[in-house]
Amino acid sequence: MNLPRLPIGDTIENGVDWIKANLQWLLDLIITVLSYPLDLIIGVLQFPPALVTIAIFTLLAFALRSWQFGVFTLAGMLLIESMELWPAAMSTLGMILTATLIIILLGVPIGILAARSDRVSSIVRPVLDFMQTMPAFVFLIPVVILFSIGVVPGTIATMIFAFAPVVRLTELGIRQVDKETVEAGVAFGGTAGQVLRGIQLPLGLPTIMAGVNQVIMLALSMAVIAGMVNAGGLGREVVAAISRVEVGNGFEAGLAVVVLAIFLDRLTGAIGQPTGKTLWTMLRDQMRTARAQPGNDGAAGTEAAERVAGGPPKRL
């Protein structure tokens, strides 16, 4: 027995055609709104000389994680510059940062609502399942039809593909906060907003940052795939290398992607879970050591003076 064919694909295609025919003004508005932060971030990343940006990234890695990570960042970024892929890498980084910022602005509030309402959670969860299990290349088809090709359509596809983790882990992070702690906050007269800002979000921050970390990783992978729709950056380099069968250029572009991925992964991971080996902690330890040395502390200085004089000073 043959089952009747459900016209799912035809329905989706008709829906996309209807949107393109009747909501073109909205599509143009989305492209215009997204162009501003995208151009701004890419412009800021590409404006200073590469060595200046590399020095900033190195200090950032040193300050937020460790000096070892600072050395890796310096070596990795210099490697990208030496391969003449710096403008493409900054373009990709700009796309990732823009997509991640917008995802956080939209996804964290949805995650908070899902954590507070089981009904919202039951609606959001299957949508997120659908978005996470859909193959990445499928997202490019409606994006190309609705928004054409270029950097902005590539960023939109990246946002859709990487949206789910921040919602899931924001909900999980808030739900995992100890209920007795939340009840204590309410018992002391805290409003729902005060409990959220003062207890739930700070305690759930490591889990939320894990979601942000996953968003960045997914955005980076999709930004490379988005090179197929002329999104620019390292994705275009990879696609060009595939089309011309240039193994060397493809490997160099892939290596630059790996360096960016490790840099973003370790940096965002350090924000959620501090390593204790940052520039600040090293300076603090040095200051404590200096204070503990004889001559820098009052008691230690007095004891040292007594040892030199052969005993405590005699009263006259």
Side-chain angles (χ1 to χ4, degrees):
M1 185 179 72
N2 294 328
L3 294 176
R5 183 180 185 280
L6 296 177
I8 297 177
D10 296 336
T11 304
I12 296 296
E13 189 171 347
N14 292 334
V16 171
D17 291 340
W18 184 87
I19 293 174
K20 190 175 180 181
N22 298 280
L23 298 178
Q24 188 61 46
W25 60 272
L26 180 60
L27 303 178
D28 295 337
L29 179 64
I30 293 173
I31 291 178
T32 303
V33 170
L34 279 179
S35 296
Y36 284 108
L38 190 59
D39 294 341
L40 177 64
I41 293 177
I42 292 177
V44 169
L45 290 172
Q46 291 184 342
F47 175 73
L51 294 180
V52 174
T53 308
I54 291 172
I56 294 172
F57 286 171
T58 302
L59 289 175
L60 200 61
F62 192 10
L64 293 180
R65 192 171 182 89
S66 64
W67 67 268
Q68 294 94 334
F69 183 54
V71 172
F72 167 80
T73 302
L74 178 63
M77 296 299 170
L78 288 176
L79 177 63
I80 294 177
E81 168 65 9
S82 69
M83 294 188 296
E84 299 179 350
L85 290 173
W86 186 258
M90 292 303 99
S91 179
T92 298
L93 185 59
M95 286 179 57
I96 294 169
L97 293 179
T98 304
T100 303
L101 288 175
I102 295 174
I103 288 172
I104 291 173
L105 290 176
L106 297 176
V108 171
I110 295 175
I112 293 172
L113 289 175
R116 293 192 165 192
S117 170
D118 292 336
R119 179 174 297 179
V120 174
S121 179
S122 63
I123 296 173
V124 168
R125 196 170 299 168
V127 177
L128 297 180
D129 290 339
F130 175 82
M131 294 173 68
Q132 280 193 296
T133 52
M134 182 65 71
F137 286 93
V138 177
F139 289 112
L140 296 179
I141 300 172
V143 167
V144 169
I145 295 174
L146 296 176
F147 299 100
S148 184
I149 60 174
V151 179
V152 175
T155 306
I156 293 173
T158 302
M159 288 166 50
I160 297 172
F161 180 70
F163 188 78
V166 74
V167 180
R168 286 189 186 281
L169 291 177
T170 299
E171 178 185 357
L172 180 64
I174 293 177
R175 286 185 182 273
Q176 282 182 337
V177 174
D178 185 26
K179 292 183 179 179
E180 294 182 356
T181 306
V182 176
E183 291 173 356
V186 175
F188 278 102
T191 62
Q194 289 173 332
V195 171
L196 176 67
R197 292 191 301 273
I199 297 176
Q200 291 175 315
L201 285 180
L203 293 180
L205 184 61
T207 306
I208 296 173
M209 287 307 300
V212 174
N213 181 278
Q214 289 192 22
V215 166
I216 292 175
M217 293 298 103
L218 289 175
L220 185 57
S221 64
M222 189 62 191
V224 175
I225 296 174
M228 299 184 66
V229 296
N230 198 26
L234 294 172
R236 185 165 58 188
E237 299 293 333
V238 172
V239 172
I242 293 174
S243 62
R244 299 170 189 164
V245 198
E246 297 174 344
V247 179
N249 291 338
F251 181 80
E252 289 181 352
L255 190 59
V257 171
V258 171
V259 172
L260 278 184
I262 295 175
F263 172 69
L264 294 172
D265 177 63
R266 302 296 188 272
L267 203 64
T268 53
I271 295 174
Q273 296 178 339
T275 60
K277 301 177 182 178
T278 63
L279 176 62
W280 165 246
T281 55
M282 292 179 65
L283 290 175
R284 186 185 60 191
D285 294 341
Q286 288 291 333
M287 291 176 65
R288 286 178 177 174
T289 305
R291 287 174 184 168
Q293 289 179 350
N296 293 336
D297 182 83
T302 303
E303 184 180 351
E306 289 178 352
R307 285 200 300 269
V308 171
K314 298 179 180 178
R315 294 180 182 275
L316 297 176

